Amino acid sequence: MTGVEKKLGVCNLCEAICGLEITLEDGRVTGIRGNPSDPLSRGHICPKGTALADVHADPDRLRRPVRRVGDTWAEIGWDEALDQVADGLARAINDHGRDALAIYLGNPNAHSLGSLTHGTAMLKSFRTRNKFSATSVDQLPHQLVAHLMYGHQLFLPIPDIDRTSYFLVVGANPMASNGSLMTAPDFPARLRALDARGGRMVVLDPRRTETAKAAHEHVFVRPGTDAHLLLAMLHVLYDEELVRPPGYIEGLDRVRDAVGPFTPERAAEATGVAAEDIRRITRDFAAADGAAAYGRVGVSTHPFGTVCQWAIQLLNLLTGNLDRAGGVLFTSPAIDAVGAGLIGRGHHGLWRSRVRGFPESGGELPVAVLREEIETPGEGQVRALLTLAGNPVSSTPDGGGLDRALAGLDFMAAVDIYVNETTRHADVILPPTTALERDHYDLVFHLLAVRNTARFTPAVLPPEDGAMHDWQIYREIVRRTQQRLDAKLPLRKRLLLQTRLAVSPTRQIALLLRRGSSGVTLRDLRRHPEGVDLGPLRAGQLPGRLPRREKCIDAAPDLVLADLERLAAVPAPEPGGLVLIGRRHQRDNNSWMHNTTRLTKGRARHQLLMHPDDLAERGIADGALVEVRSRVGSVEVEVHATDDVMRGVVSLPHGYGHRREGVRLAQAVDLPGVSINDLTDPELLDVSGNAAFNGVPVEVRVSDRTARTPDPVR
Ligand SMILES: Nc1nc2c(c(=O)[nH]1)N[C@H]1C(S)=C(S)[C@@H](COP(=O)(O)OP(=O)(O)OC[C@H]3O[C@@H](n4cnc5c(=O)[nH]c(N)nc54)[C@H](O)[C@@H]3O)O[C@H]1N2
Ligand SMILES: Nc1nc2c(c(=O)[nH]1)N[C@H]1C(S)=C(S)[C@@H](COP(=O)(O)OP(=O)(O)OC[C@H]3O[C@@H](n4cnc5c(=O)[nH]c(N)nc54)[C@H](O)[C@@H]3O)O[C@H]1N2
Ligand code: SF4
Ligand SMILES: [Mo]
């Protein structure tokens, strides 16, 4: 059969969840564009969305399970592969106990329906304390703060950017990232609308980013010091009597006392932001008719991420902007994973990591401790690892150290589609189908979106012959591992689990929609594959919707207040020192998708960005090959002079550095660039356990090796 056909699809690469219109010719994808009738994304698409076709067609992508044989890989059948995985996992557990198995979940799990419905069940079945995920190199502080203040780790207020008149952005670059914990497809259009209605966007960032350039005001802030600035803003609110909190809040006396010592003058010293600017921004924020403060990766992967996210919540709360149109609001998704209890409320400190004694948060340990749990002998040592859509060698602090540790595991399995920096250590890799081949409903990102919508997208392409979906793989791993365990789950639990795993993700969505209060059914969504509009975010829902049993917000969690002492004790930065921050680019996607020319062509963007005066001071020429050294390691990379970074700050993109032995990503290994996480430090953690990637002390000097011809930049 031949012919041209158009189908509606969805992009699952970032949190913007754009609706797509996909052209198929003879079953091959020949075109992808944004779907203008999607009520949320309204036709938006970015270059990565178009590259979804390349993932599907990628010759590097694994299509059959593979087993490592020495330095090479052999394709094997599913049955054999799944048995080998179950053998390896069960052996570790039977011989050394449940905690001998560690699991790491990467970012794409949040973007796959099957992983959300079936992955969680699989994890529970292993009952290991060594559970890790990208959460602890990303948004853990948000979850901990939401858990402590509101009573649920994912009860997160979303900036109402379509109605706000003052958008304060701290450490986020939505012009490149398309928004995070704020699903906001076509951020540029939303920003133009804000501007047209006379609103302002103010950005606090150590780099003059794409977002900073589009803002009404950009203020440089020294990396890692934002907590001082945000606390000083709270201080000003009290000092100038601008506080007007709602009635359903407790602990405000303690907040006022706690922020007392954090004056704008003290903040100016720490952050480099003038005290008068801090006062002015605070006054403007408090006076605005609908203001939203928003902080993301820049103040999450941060030494005081939890304090920062708490202070941002309080900025919104104390100025009356929580639960108010134009402020920050809670979504009302058709499937309310929070309200319905699909996701647990969260907890902290129920157990601790074996070696460093770091508390768990929400059932996970900080991935920064994974390496020592593998390398330190003794009862409870990690012997086997299962990674699910994750690349911790590239994504976690001291990835280079973890890389070496993985080589010492008894057994490793990966559910992944590539042989990359991490999965090259696996004994077996199980590759699931990819985005275009599976049904999708966004359980996570509707929950975090700036507008209430619902959309179900049936698979655009049939699975390739003999392929398995991730949820089918998980189901089989559970079944086969349980069979082999000496200490199986109790029969009742096992039956319950099997019943749950037997129901397909799509069927689960149908049931969950029926349980929700939107009135939308799966049939409705099948009839409207472009998506259904459920209206703008709603104001005035509190305190009724608060998950906390007291129906009251805790403004002063002990854990956060105690961390202010740690903040107060931080010594002043070394004069003339350099600190490292990361960055994202519109055409990069974390640590993968570097093997498509569609995204990598054009000017190089892997360089270390450094201020011209900092270069001059060290006698380094623009374009030189430099050595960047931290406590943990060193890398060599070309430097690019730019005053887009503040003095004392250098920046490397995250997700680069594919030239490791055995990586099978044909184009990516030729891409210049190094891994920033060969420099980041697992000792630098927020109180939540989140990695503090921002503000890592480094030294930069000319490399001993002769510089290669510098790549042209931007
Ligand atoms: N220094 C520094 N480090 C960072 C960050 C930073 O800003 N700076 N950012 C952090 C953040 S926010 C995040 S989210 C993490 C991400 O860290 P990770 O989640 O560990 O890494 P990703 O790069 O998202 O890797 C995704 C993996 O999933 C595989 N994959 C892709 N699609 C599929 C699929 O459909 N199914 C399966 N099974 N596998 C698939 C890819 O091959 C790859 O191995 O990195 C963090 N690390
Ligand atoms: N194109 C593209 N889009 C993506 C991704 C991608 O890899 N590429 N990844 C997706 C993922 S997993 C995530 S989590 C989101 C992240 O989404 P964002 O948080 O919007 O993205 P980042 O570019 O990491 O923005 C962090 C900003 O914080 C700044 N910063 C660094 N240190 C500090 C500091 O100490 N203080 C302050 N105030 N700012 C600081 C950085 O300069 C940067 O501009 O993006 C998602 N979208
Ligand atoms: S902004 Fe780009 S990567 Fe993100 S969902 Fe839309 S098309 Fe995909
Ligand atoms: Mo992320």
Side-chain angles (χ1 to χ4, degrees), residues 54-71:
D54 304 342
V55 175
H56 187 255
D58 191 349
D60 290 337
R61 181 166 66 83
L62 297 175
R63 286 162 171 82
R64 295 265 182 283
V66 289
R67 180 167 64 90
R68 190 153 47 80
V69 190
D71 289 341

Side-chain angles (χ1 to χ4, degrees), residues 253-473:
D253 291 351
R254 294 177 68 207
V255 172
R256 192 195 48 227
D257 293 349
V259 302
F262 291 93
T263 61
E265 282 67 28
R266 187 172 168 193
E269 226 168 276
T271 62
V273 182
E276 220 17 69
D277 286 336
I278 299 174
R279 289 204 168 84
R280 175 180 50 84
I281 292 170
T282 311
R283 285 178 202 133
D284 290 351
F285 187 86
D289 182 18
Y294 166 74
R296 211 32 207 105
V297 165
V299 280
S300 310
T301 63
H302 185 282
F304 292 92
T306 297
V307 172
C308 286
Q309 298 304 337
W310 168 75
I312 286 170
Q313 298 300 324
L314 281 179
L315 260 180
N316 290 319
L317 252 168
L318 296 185
T319 53
N321 279 300
L322 182 84
D323 199 29
R324 166 194 187 183
V328 294
L329 295 168
F330 295 96
T331 57
S332 313
I335 297 177
D336 180 6
V338 168
L342 299 181
I343 303 169
R345 291 166 169 269
H347 41 74
H348 185 80
L350 291 189
W351 64 85
R352 287 176 176 267
S353 70
R354 179 181 62 107
V355 179
R356 216 190 300 181
F358 222 95
E360 63 78 33
S361 207
E364 296 185 15
L365 291 170
V367 67
V369 311
L370 175 56
R371 176 191 181 181
E372 68 213 29
E373 294 298 330
I374 295 173
E375 289 184 336
T376 313
E379 175 114 18
Q381 181 184 2
V382 168
R383 311 286 185 136
L385 174 69
L386 174 63
T387 64
L388 311 173
N391 190 3
V393 168
S394 295
S395 311
T396 68
D398 190 19
L402 180 65
D403 193 21
R404 291 186 287 280
L406 294 186
L409 286 167
D410 292 349
F411 181 76
M412 177 176 157
V415 179
D416 206 292
I417 53 177
Y418 291 109
V419 181
N420 63 18
E421 298 75 22
T422 299
T423 60
R424 71 199 174 106
H425 293 292
D427 294 281
V428 182
I429 307 177
L430 306 170
T433 54
T434 58
L436 296 176
E437 302 162 291
R438 54 198 189 209
D439 293 357
H440 191 64
Y441 179 94
D442 234 296
L443 277 175
V444 174
F445 299 108
H446 286 310
L447 195 69
L448 304 171
V450 297
R451 190 174 179 88
N452 293 316
T453 63
R455 181 186 55 206
F456 176 79
T457 313
V460 171
L461 295 168
E464 286 169 42
D465 260 357
M468 281 180 87
H469 293 302
D470 45 14
W471 61 275
Q472 294 169 319
I473 295 174

Side-chain angles (χ1 to χ4, degrees), residues 10-20 32 34 41 44-50 52 111 176-179 184-186 586 588-589 593:
V10 54
C11 179
N12 72 334
L13 291 172
C14 89
E15 298 177 37
I17 60 170
C18 295
L20 306 176
I32 300 187
S41 65
H44 181 65
I45 186 168
C46 83
K48 288 186 295 169
T50 326
L52 263 186
H111 298 269
S177 71
N178 305 295
D186 206 353
Q586 200 202 25
D588 289 323
N589 190 45
M593 295 200 72

Side-chain angles (χ1 to χ4, degrees), residues 650-708:
V650 292
S651 163
L652 275 177
H654 114 92
Y656 279 69
H658 304 288
R659 265 190 228 129
R660 291 187 205 255
E661 205 179 311
V663 168
R664 297 212 312 186
L665 301 166
Q667 298 186 44
V669 294
D670 294 331
L671 195 69
V674 293
S675 175
I676 185 174
N677 287 323
D678 287 346
L679 297 170
T680 54
D681 189 338
E683 298 281 327
L684 302 178
L685 295 184
D686 172 49
V687 66
S688 62
N690 209 66
F693 292 132
N694 306 336
V696 176
V698 292
E699 283 167 23
V700 177
R701 60 180 193 88
V702 178
S703 159
D704 298 332
R705 291 195 302 133
T706 334
R708 273 178 280 160

Side-chain angles (χ1 to χ4, degrees), residues 497-579:
L497 184 66
Q498 274 161 16
T499 318
R500 196 175 149 197
L501 290 172
V503 186
S504 78
T506 302
R507 182 86 196 113
Q508 292 196 29
I509 290 302
L511 297 170
L512 288 168
L513 281 167
R514 234 182 280 158
R515 263 170 57 189
S517 57
S518 68
V520 175
T521 64
L522 187 62
R523 264 184 72 191
D524 300 334
L525 294 184
R526 283 192 189 276
R527 247 184 265 137
H528 293 280
E530 74 281 9
V532 171
D533 190 14
L534 301 172
L537 302 187
R538 295 173 208 158
Q541 303 191 86
L542 298 191
R545 271 193 69 198
L546 277 177
R548 232 170 139 243
R549 292 179 182 92
E550 298 86 343
K551 292 293 167 200
C552 181
I553 296 169
D554 182 0
D558 291 337
L559 187 137
V560 184
L561 292 194
D563 208 34
L564 298 186
E565 284 168 34
R566 185 172 65 100
L567 176 67
V570 174
E574 295 263 326
L578 292 172
V579 291

